[in-house]
């Protein structure tokens, strides 16, 4: 007995054009409410839209990067509905002729690669943003009204929340790679709706599709899907079915909650937007965009394996984000040791990013500083452990490694005379350990090294200490 | 001498010869308005302070010998669905009773750049829906020729203001005949130019694929002057026509017009579908008289066929109301305009605001359009109407491959009395001959061609897309012929 989960996603991504979709207002996040507004984006009577060509270019770029077909004869439609964040009473969108058809993303699972197919990618404008006050008022900020979006609709090809997460990560990486969106979920520039249902593999019985709206973090999306998966299975077990409805994820209660039931199909009364001429896209334009597309994650990974001789896994991690890959390649410029740099980034740097839940582009650590640090360690000026401490300090303070090493007096002691003094002092203090060593107890050597490192405040050159200690022990 | 009765051209001449000042001219028109507009009601809002200020600027330019724009110092009325920054723009509706736009329509800026003087905003059918200016929230405009009769609609205020010499020129909008039909009823010239040659930016959309801004003047030359000043590509309007050959408007204005030459060799078509129609015989007589003049002035006249014309009105009312239902959705009480005082939910806010602030005709058309666009009906109504529209376009394309101008009466009926037509469908018939032009995106002009029982008759001259020159020539020829009693 088993159950099969079916997941399809709809992802809205804001395009990072300088200006809005249909007017010349600034497309920027975080400005004072209602300051990036003109007659067009607040839908004043008489205002008319004019298409921002860059938005179309970005949408084509996304289509190419996601392996879609670009439709050269398309148009913009009106999707009519009433809502207070929607200024014109209709949203300019695309109905039966989306800009991009089909496409796919490959995700890597434990047992191989899986292709998640796309249905379509279409262009539309974003709506305003509402805030509900505790007094019961609704405040509307129209700065977001008219920001260009693409909506990416997948086929129901994913079967676990984990697959959906991998898909979303790959999608985000790709969109960031081609620089059409910053994909910041917390700023709403990437928003995800999930369609999910479950089939009983034996009886073939299915639950009705539930839609979970406006998930604003990957973690939330995965949790919501896991919750729904369980809920649907439980219902099937009880011989019940789900209601065809839209739900939302409640982060506090850790559960999905009914928003509204879908009784009939919403009638948007779609019609071509006569204010905008049909979109006829020149094939040459598409080819120009294609040939100027930056290196995509998959190609970059292959190149990292070839060029830097990295393990496929490491190359995959380093190229998962464009910024991380760039950080890696930039660091190599300062210390030409691809393998060593990879180890540092794969280890301490990524751990640090994960602990602090930040992205590489948001930290004060620079490739130059990391390169310097690795050089210092490589040259034996400080040892590996000290290096790790310095890296932490660099993360916290943004200081460069030389300064930290100098300020804290961390330069490794490789001076044999100085080391000899320290070693002799420790040997004098630990006669029992010398006896133990002579009696073949290897642990004694480790203890002595530890004591020497402690006495040197971690600065002693470990290789040198090891060699000198053995020599000096034998001399005693 | 009553300077308000001069043509715009004559006014310009007197201004340049310093016989009058723009201030005098504008004051004279405001006096005229004060005197008669209580009776005519052509204006919703006047802007005397700004108008006089602008007039003084023009006078100063003239005094200093500076270049003055094409409309320098001339009093102009602007239909109240065209955005004027700082001057309330109501669309003849309670919905926008107190709406003061923060921006100007492109054409308003063009009038200002051409030194035209905007006197105020003229009355209209609510949101340009109507054929009689009876649906205005601000009361009827009366026909200056007979105040018991309608001035036509929806640009009735603009037509009446020109006829009553309250302004020399005015702007209107024409979605299915809203310039030509009131021009015909008020005995003035009205031009509906080719779709796209005048910017719609800042003009409140009724049915956006049919709407076209156009002009009124008391003679053809004045109307063309007005049109020349506002045409041209506008990057803010995606449907704006980018004319590669520069201006398409009738080029220069000769001091004396020799009407004898304009019609020579012109090929004129008379659609049998229109003339076979049951037109008021008195109207038909006047049109026949004009046709004879046109022929006498050297045009070749032939009967033509536009087989799909009979479906125009049906297609027009499906398409226009569908677009209306979408275009008027933005009036929801949320951001501007009327908001109901009482509501509990967001839906009630919309429903109450729209129920209380839209008039009956507007509601009727929104409902019709919503129905036509709704899923399940869109195929049999909206999409079918679009197919009919293509057939009508094709009919005209075929005709214009052979003919320069197509003729028809402007309206099948004479100006009617207030309240005379109660059935909305009969009212829609007033647009019978004008709507095909909007469906096909052509240019057309109505010019006065005689009187029947003291009521004016208009003749419609239809031209191909961007061939305004043809209807201007035909219009100047016919107008001259009529004046000279041919």
């Amino acid at each position: 007995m088993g159950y099969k989960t079916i997941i399809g996603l709809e992802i809205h991504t804001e395009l990072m054009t300088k200006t809005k979709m249909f007017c010349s207002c600034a497309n920027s996040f975080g400005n004072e409410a209602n300051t990036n507004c003109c007659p067009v984006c607040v839908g004043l009577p008489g205002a008319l839209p004019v298409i921002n060509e860059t938005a179309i270019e970005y949408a084509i770029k996304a289509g190419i990067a996601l392996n879609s077909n670009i439709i050269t004869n398309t148009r913009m439609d009106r999707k009519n509905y009433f809502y207070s964040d929607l200024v014109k009473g209709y949203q300019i969108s695309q109905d039966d002729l989306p800009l991009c058809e089909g496409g796919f993303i490959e995700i890597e699972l434990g047992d191989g690669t899986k292709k998640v197919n796309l249905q379509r990618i279409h262009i539309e404008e974003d709506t305003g943003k509402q805030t509900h006050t505790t007094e019961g008022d609704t405040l509307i900020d129209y700065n977001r009204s008219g920001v260009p979006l693409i909506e990416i609709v997948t086929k129901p090809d994913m079967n676990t929340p984990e697959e959906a997460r991998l898909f979303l990560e790959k999608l985000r990486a790709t969109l960031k790679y081609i620089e059409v969106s910053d994909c910041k979920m917390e700023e709403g520039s990437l928003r995800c709706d999930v369609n999910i249902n479950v089939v009983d593999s034996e009886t073939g019985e299915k639950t009705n599709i539930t839609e979970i709206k406006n998930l604003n973090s990957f973690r939330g999306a995965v949790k919501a899907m896991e919750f729904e998966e369980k809920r649907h299975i439980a219902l099937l077990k009880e011989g019940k079915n789900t209601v065809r409805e839209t739900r939302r994820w409640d982060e506090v209660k850790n559960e999905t909650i009914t928003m509204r039931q879908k009784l009939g199909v919403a009638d948007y009364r779609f019609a071509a937007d006569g204010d905008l001429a049909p979109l006829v896209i020149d094939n040459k334009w598409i080819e120009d965009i294609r040939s100027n597309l930056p290196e995509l994650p998959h190609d970059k990974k292959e190149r990292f394996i070839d060029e830097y001789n990295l393990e496929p896994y490491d190359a995959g991690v380093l190229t998962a984000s464009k910024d991380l890959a760039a950080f890696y390649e930039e660091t190599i410029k300062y210390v030409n040791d691809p393998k060593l740099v990879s180890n540092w980034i794969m280890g301490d740097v990524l751990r640090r990013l994960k602990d602090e839940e930040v992205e590489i582009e948001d930290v004060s650590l620079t490739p130059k500083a990391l390169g310097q640090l690795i050089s210092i360690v490589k040259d034996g000026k400080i040892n590996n452990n000290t290096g790790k401490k310095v890296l932490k300090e660099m993360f916290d303070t943004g200081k460069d490694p030389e300064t930290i090493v100098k300020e804290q007096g961390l330069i490794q002691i490789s001076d044999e005379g100085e080391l000899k003094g320290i070693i002799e002092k420790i040997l004098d203090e630990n006669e029992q350990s010398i006896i133990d060593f002579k009696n073949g107890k290897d642990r004694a050597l480790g203890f002595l090294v530890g004591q020497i490192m402690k006495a040197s405040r971690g600065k002693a050159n470990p290789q040198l200490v090891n060699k000198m200690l053995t020599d000096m022990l034998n001399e005693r | 001498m009553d300077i308000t009765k001069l043509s715009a051209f004559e006014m310009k001449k007197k201004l340049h010869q310093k016989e009058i000042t723009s201030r005098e001219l504008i004051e004279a028109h405001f006096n005229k308005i004060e005197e008669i507009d209580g009776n005519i009601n052509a204006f919703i809002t006047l802007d005397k302070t700004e108008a006089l200020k602008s007039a003084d600027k023009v006078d100063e330019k003239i005094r200093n010998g500076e270049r003055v724009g094409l409309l320098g110092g001339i009093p102009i009325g602007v239909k109240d669905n065209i955005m004027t920054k700082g001057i309330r723009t109501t669309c003849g509706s309670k919905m926008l009773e107190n709406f003061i736009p923060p921006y100007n329509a492109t054409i308003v800026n063009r009038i200002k750049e051409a030194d035209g003087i905007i006197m105020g905003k003229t009355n209209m059918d609510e949101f340009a829906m109507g054929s009689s200016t009876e649906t205005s929230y601000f009361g009827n405009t009366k026909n200056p020729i007979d105040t018991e009769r309608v001035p036509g609609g929806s640009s009735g205020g603009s037509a009446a203001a020109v006829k009553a010499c309250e302004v020399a020129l005015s702007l209107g909008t024409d979605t299915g005949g809203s310039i030509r039909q009131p021009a015909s009823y008020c005995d003035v010239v009205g031009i509906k130019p080719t779709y796209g040659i005048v910017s719609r930016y800042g003009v409140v959309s009724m049915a956006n694929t049919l709407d076209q801004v156009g002009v009124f003047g008391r003679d053809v030359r004045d109307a063309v002057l007005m049109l020349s000043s506002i045409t041209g590509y506008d990057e803010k309007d995606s449907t704006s026509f980018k004319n590669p050959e520069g201006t398409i408007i009738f080029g220069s204005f000769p001091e004396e017009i020799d009407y004898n030459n304009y019609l020579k060799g012109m090929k004129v078509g008379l659609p049998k579908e229109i003339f076979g129609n049951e037109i008021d015989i008195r109207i038909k007589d006047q049109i026949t008289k004009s046709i004879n003049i046109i022929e006498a002035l050297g045009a070749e006249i032939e009967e033509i066929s536009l087989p799909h014309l009979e479906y125009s009105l049906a297609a027009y009312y499906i398409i226009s109301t569908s677009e209306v239902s979408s275009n008027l959705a933005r009036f929801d009480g949320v951001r501007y305009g009327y908001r109901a005082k009482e509501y509990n939910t967001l839906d009630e806010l919309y429903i109450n605001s729209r129920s209380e602030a839209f008039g009956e005709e507007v509601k009727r058309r929104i409902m019709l359009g919503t129905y036509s666009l709704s899923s399940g009906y869109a195929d049999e109504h909206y999409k079918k109407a679009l197919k009919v529209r293509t057939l009508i376009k094709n009919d005209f394309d075929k005709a214009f491959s052979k003919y320069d101008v197509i003729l028809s009466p402007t309206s099948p009926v004479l100006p009617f009395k207030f309240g005379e037509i109660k059935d909305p469908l009969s009212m829609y018939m007033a647009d019978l001959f004008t709507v095909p032009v909007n469906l096909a995106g052509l240019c057309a002009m109505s010019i006065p061609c005689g009187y029947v029982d003291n009521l004016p008759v208009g003749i419609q001259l239809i031209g191909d897309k961007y061939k305004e020159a043809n209807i201007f020539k035909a219009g100047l020829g016919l107008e001259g012929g009529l004046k000279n009693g041919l």
Side-chain angles (χ1 to χ4, degrees):
Chain A
M1 200 160 123
Y3 296 95
K4 190 178 176 189
T5 304
I6 300 167
I7 298 170
L9 300 175
E10 288 168 26
I11 301 104
H12 284 91
T13 311
E14 286 185 355
L15 301 176
M16 46 186 190
T17 50
K18 286 196 186 71
T19 57
K20 291 188 183 180
M21 184 76 217
F22 299 112
C23 65
S24 56
C25 286
N27 170 19
S28 66
F29 180 83
N31 296 108
E32 195 188 326
N34 296 310
T35 52
N36 299 333
C37 291
C38 74
V40 176
C41 53
V42 296
L44 287 190
L48 294 173
V50 177
I51 288 187
N52 178 349
E53 259 189 40
T54 310
I56 308 294
E57 184 190 318
Y58 283 10
I60 294 173
K61 230 175 173 179
I64 296 171
L66 299 173
N67 312 296
S68 305
N69 281 327
I70 311 299
I71 307 303
T72 48
N73 275 297
T74 176
R75 60 154 198 265
M76 301 306 296
D77 296 303
R78 290 182 179 184
K79 178 180 179 178
N80 293 285
Y81 66 95
F82 282 96
Y83 204 63
S84 45
D85 64 7
L86 185 67
V87 292
K88 299 185 289 295
Y90 58 85
Q91 182 181 24
I92 304 178
S93 180
Q94 294 191 293
D95 180 28
D96 50 2
L97 292 170
L99 180 70
C100 315
E101 272 179 352
F104 62 87
I105 281 183
E106 281 178 340
I107 53 173
E108 272 154 49
L109 304 178
D111 54 355
T113 309
K114 177 172 180 172
K115 202 183 239 187
V116 176
N117 292 290
L118 306 181
Q119 211 152 54
R120 59 188 284 165
I121 304 172
H122 67 255
I123 310 167
E124 58 187 31
E125 58 176 336
D126 213 339
T127 61
K129 200 179 169 184
Q130 304 199 129
T131 318
H132 305 283
T133 68
T134 45
E135 289 83 40
D137 291 328
T138 299
L139 307 175
I140 318 181
D141 176 6
Y142 291 109
N143 282 351
R144 202 179 71 181
S145 173
V147 163
L149 287 178
I150 47 173
E151 181 174 341
I152 300 156
V153 184
T154 76
K155 292 192 172 164
D157 283 356
M158 287 152 282
N159 300 111
T160 63
E162 175 64 8
E163 286 178 17
R165 186 183 64 80
L166 289 169
F167 172 86
L168 284 170
E169 281 177 356
K170 188 79 178 277
L171 175 69
R172 178 171 64 175
T174 307
L175 294 175
K176 287 178 78 168
Y177 256 83
I178 56 173
E179 294 179 343
V180 299
S181 176
D182 58 15
C183 296
K184 288 184 179 165
M185 289 191 94
E186 69 279 10
E187 292 183 6
S189 61
L190 186 107
R191 308 195 288 274
C192 173
D193 300 344
V194 175
N195 286 300
I196 183 168
N197 67 333
V198 171
V199 191
D200 184 324
S201 323
E202 265 173 34
T203 64
E205 205 187 336
K206 287 179 189 172
T207 53
N208 277 317
I209 296 169
T210 307
E211 186 182 26
I212 321 169
K213 276 258 179 217
N214 288 327
L215 292 156
N216 55 13
S217 75
F218 283 3
R219 198 183 298 179
V222 170
K223 279 182 168 174
M225 283 183 265
E226 285 168 352
F227 181 89
E228 276 302 293
E229 194 174 34
K230 280 190 201 124
R231 196 176 67 87
H232 282 237
I233 291 172
L235 282 166
L236 274 182
K237 279 181 180 164
E238 288 173 38
K240 292 179 185 165
N241 201 340
T242 50
V243 186
R244 222 183 127 69
E245 62 179 354
T246 300
R247 298 172 76 91
R248 68 176 178 85
W249 175 244
D250 187 317
E251 253 173 37
V252 183
K253 293 183 183 156
N254 264 312
E255 60 183 37
T256 62
I257 292 167
T258 300
M259 275 170 83
R260 56 178 179 267
Q261 297 198 349
K262 290 190 169 178
L263 296 172
V265 182
D267 186 359
Y268 290 117
R269 291 173 284 116
F270 277 107
D273 191 335
D275 285 338
L276 296 162
L279 267 176
V280 181
I281 292 158
D282 191 3
N283 275 312
K284 192 184 168 297
W285 195 26
I286 300 175
E287 285 320 308
D288 282 352
I289 295 171
R290 193 190 300 278
S291 58
N292 287 315
L293 214 60
E295 192 178 28
L296 292 173
H298 180 76
D299 301 329
K300 194 169 285 231
K301 180 183 164 185
E302 295 298 313
R303 180 167 66 80
F304 274 28
I305 296 170
D306 287 351
E307 200 172 325
Y308 304 128
N309 206 14
L310 299 178
E311 295 299 321
Y313 175 78
D314 294 3
V317 172
L318 289 175
T319 55
S321 130
K322 184 179 192 175
D323 291 305
L324 189 65
F327 190 93
Y328 171 75
E329 293 205 276
E330 189 65 17
T331 307
I332 292 174
K333 289 185 190 161
Y334 297 97
V335 47
N336 189 14
D337 192 337
K339 186 71 196 158
L340 186 61
V341 172
S342 163
N343 289 344
W344 273 86
I345 292 179
M346 295 288 294
D348 283 77
V349 174
L350 283 183
R351 192 173 311 126
R352 193 77 203 164
L353 292 176
K354 201 181 163 206
D355 287 349
E356 302 197 358
E357 290 183 21
V358 288
E359 303 288 335
I360 190 75
E361 62 267 33
D362 299 325
V363 296
S364 53
L365 181 74
T366 63
K368 185 178 178 185
L370 180 65
Q372 285 171 342
L373 174 67
I374 297 172
S375 293
I376 297 170
V377 175
K378 201 180 170 188
D379 295 348
K381 283 191 191 145
I382 60 174
N383 63 43
N384 218 37
N385 276 334
T386 308
K388 289 180 178 187
K389 284 179 206 149
V390 173
L391 182 67
K392 183 177 183 305
E393 190 78 16
M394 287 160 70
F395 260 105
D396 293 342
T397 63
K399 286 182 184 170
D400 64 87
E402 308 266 9
T403 311
I404 296 169
V405 166
K406 208 176 284 170
E407 277 176 4
Q408 305 193 1
L410 297 176
I411 292 286
Q412 179 162 274
I413 306 167
S414 299
D415 179 87
E416 292 197 17
E418 198 180 342
L419 283 178
K420 200 170 180 181
I422 299 170
I423 296 170
E424 262 168 5
K425 186 166 169 278
I426 295 297
L427 288 178
D428 291 346
E429 286 168 4
N430 295 284
E431 291 205 11
Q432 183 58 42
S433 295
I434 300 169
I435 295 164
D436 289 349
F437 175 77
K438 301 273 186 195
N439 289 337
K441 286 188 183 167
D442 284 347
R443 265 194 321 180
L445 188 67
F447 172 75
L448 289 168
V449 171
Q451 293 299 305
I452 294 160
M453 293 308 287
K454 202 173 160 189
S456 71
R457 288 191 293 128
K459 294 189 290 183
N461 180 331
Q463 286 86 28
L464 215 50
V465 167
N466 265 317
K467 186 177 167 293
M468 288 172 67
L469 178 63
T470 319
D471 291 349
M472 286 162 74
L473 275 170
N474 290 334
E475 281 165 19
R476 290 234 173 181
Chain B
M1 179 187 62
D2 181 355
I3 51 176
T4 64
K5 287 188 174 161
L6 299 172
S7 74
F9 261 86
E10 289 162 342
M11 289 177 194
K12 273 165 66 97
K13 201 170 168 187
K14 287 193 185 301
L15 284 167
H16 286 285
Q17 291 171 349
K18 297 180 184 163
E19 287 176 33
I20 52 169
T21 64
S22 178
R23 177 172 265 272
E24 278 165 16
L25 194 57
I26 298 307
E27 277 176 343
H29 282 87
F30 274 116
N31 290 341
K32 177 68 87 45
I33 291 169
E34 206 166 296
E35 184 192 320
I36 64 165
D37 205 56
N39 191 27
I40 305 286
N41 196 28
F43 282 93
I44 293 175
T45 308
L46 292 167
D47 188 17
K48 195 169 177 178
T49 318
E50 236 359 86
L52 287 174
K53 229 190 265 176
S54 307
D56 288 343
K57 274 186 205 154
V58 173
D59 285 335
E60 203 187 319
K61 278 190 183 177
I62 293 173
R63 265 200 311 278
N64 298 339
E66 288 171 47
R67 216 187 72 85
V68 177
L70 214 50
L71 298 172
I74 305 296
I76 291 162
V78 174
K79 190 178 179 180
D80 211 20
N81 56 351
I82 297 168
M83 293 293 127
T84 42
K85 187 176 176 177
I87 308 173
R88 86 176 163 150
T89 300
T90 69
C91 288
S93 180
K94 182 180 179 180
M95 182 60 86
L96 293 177
E97 187 176 1
N98 300 305
F99 178 69
I100 297 174
Y103 77 109
N104 274 333
T106 298
I107 44 173
V108 168
N109 285 331
R110 292 211 167 134
I111 289 174
K112 287 170 176 283
E113 283 157 22
D115 292 318
I117 314 291
I118 293 173
M119 305 286 283
K121 307 298 290 292
T122 57
N123 203 0
M124 58 184 282
D125 278 307
E126 186 181 3
F127 284 103
M129 297 176 213
S131 304
S132 62
T133 317
E134 285 170 289
T135 70
S136 170
Y137 176 67
F138 299 89
N140 303 335
T141 293
K142 295 183 182 115
N143 193 324
I145 295 161
D146 176 351
T147 54
E148 280 181 19
R149 293 180 188 267
V150 304
S154 65
S155 310
S158 289
V162 167
K163 179 63 191 175
C165 298
E166 295 176 326
V167 289
L169 303 165
S170 65
L171 286 183
T173 60
D174 188 317
T175 306
S178 285
I179 287 174
R180 290 157 286 158
Q181 183 252 20
S184 169
Y185 288 7
C186 290
D187 196 35
V188 295
V189 174
I191 303 172
K192 178 250 173 251
T194 307
Y195 185 80
I197 76 161
V198 179
S199 167
R200 286 188 299 116
Y201 186 79
V203 180
V204 181
S205 291
M206 175 188 149
N208 51 312
T209 69
L210 300 159
D211 294 341
Q212 183 57 56
V213 175
V215 299
F216 292 97
R218 285 189 290 271
D219 62 30
V220 174
R221 196 159 62 145
D222 274 11
V224 174
L225 168 76
M226 180 70 182
L227 190 59
S228 307
S229 317
I230 58 166
T231 49
Y233 175 71
D234 178 12
E235 58 177 17
K236 286 183 182 160
D237 176 358
S238 303
T239 61
S240 174
F241 176 63
K242 214 172 189 171
N243 177 24
E245 288 143 36
T247 178
I248 28 185
I249 297 304
F250 201 60
S252 58
F253 302 96
E255 199 60 17
E256 296 298 326
I257 292 170
D258 183 6
Y259 65 89
N260 274 308
N261 295 326
Y262 291 120
L263 279 158
K264 265 180 199 146
M266 202 174 259
K267 288 201 163 106
V268 176
L270 305 178
K272 64 176 182 200
E273 289 79 7
I274 288 179
F275 287 92
N277 229 298
E278 283 191 23
I279 306 168
D280 187 324
I281 189 74
R282 299 166 298 172
I283 293 178
K284 216 170 189 170
D285 284 347
Q286 292 301 319
I287 302 293
T288 309
K289 222 172 75 187
S290 291
I291 292 170
N292 291 339
I293 293 172
I294 289 170
E295 201 162 23
L297 288 171
E300 286 174 41
I301 294 186
E302 273 175 47
E303 191 179 79
I304 61 163
S305 175
L306 301 167
H308 299 94
L309 214 62
E310 60 173 308
Y311 308 109
S312 305
L313 213 55
Y316 171 79
Y317 274 95
I318 298 286
I319 294 168
S320 68
T321 56
S322 295
E323 292 181 10
V324 159
S325 73
S326 176
N327 288 326
L328 266 64
R330 66 184 65 200
F331 303 103
D332 57 6
V334 174
R335 292 162 306 281
Y336 50 80
Y338 181 86
R339 181 186 289 184
K341 291 196 176 52
E342 279 171 39
Y343 57 89
N344 290 313
T345 62
L346 183 58
D347 279 353
E348 273 181 29
L349 163 67
Y350 298 142
I351 294 166
N352 296 354
S353 300
R354 289 166 69 83
S355 301
E356 289 164 27
F358 282 145
E360 199 186 335
E361 183 62 25
V362 169
K363 285 180 201 165
R364 178 171 18 251
R365 296 202 197 191
I366 290 173
M367 291 310 295
L368 268 170
T370 304
Y371 177 80
S372 300
L373 273 186
S374 56
S375 69
Y377 300 101
D379 285 339
E380 74 185 271
H381 298 304
Y382 180 66
K383 286 176 188 163
K384 192 172 270 180
L386 290 180
K387 286 179 189 159
V388 171
R389 184 178 188 171
T390 304
L391 293 174
I392 292 166
K393 274 185 193 167
N394 294 344
D395 280 359
F396 275 112
D397 282 347
K398 212 174 138 199
F400 281 119
S401 66
K402 254 182 105 179
Y403 299 91
D404 303 307
V405 172
I406 294 172
L407 278 189
S408 84
T410 306
S411 169
V413 293
L414 292 166
F416 45 92
K417 287 187 174 167
F418 287 103
E420 193 179 325
I421 301 182
K422 291 192 174 71
D423 168 27
L425 281 179
S426 307
M427 186 72 92
Y428 296 168
M429 294 300 283
D431 301 331
L432 189 61
F433 302 143
T434 48
V435 293
V437 169
N438 300 72
L439 286 172
L442 308 169
C443 61
M445 168 161 68
S446 174
I447 69 170
C449 71
Y451 267 76
V452 168
D453 299 339
N454 297 319
L455 295 173
V457 175
I459 185 167
Q460 179 176 230
L461 315 171
I462 305 170
D464 200 2
K465 290 187 200 73
Y466 315 119
K467 296 282 176 62
E468 265 77 0
N470 285 341
I471 58 170
F472 297 162
K473 282 185 210 163
L476 285 168
L478 174 60
E479 186 181 63
L482 284 161
K483 266 186 198 157
N484 290 281
L486 277 187

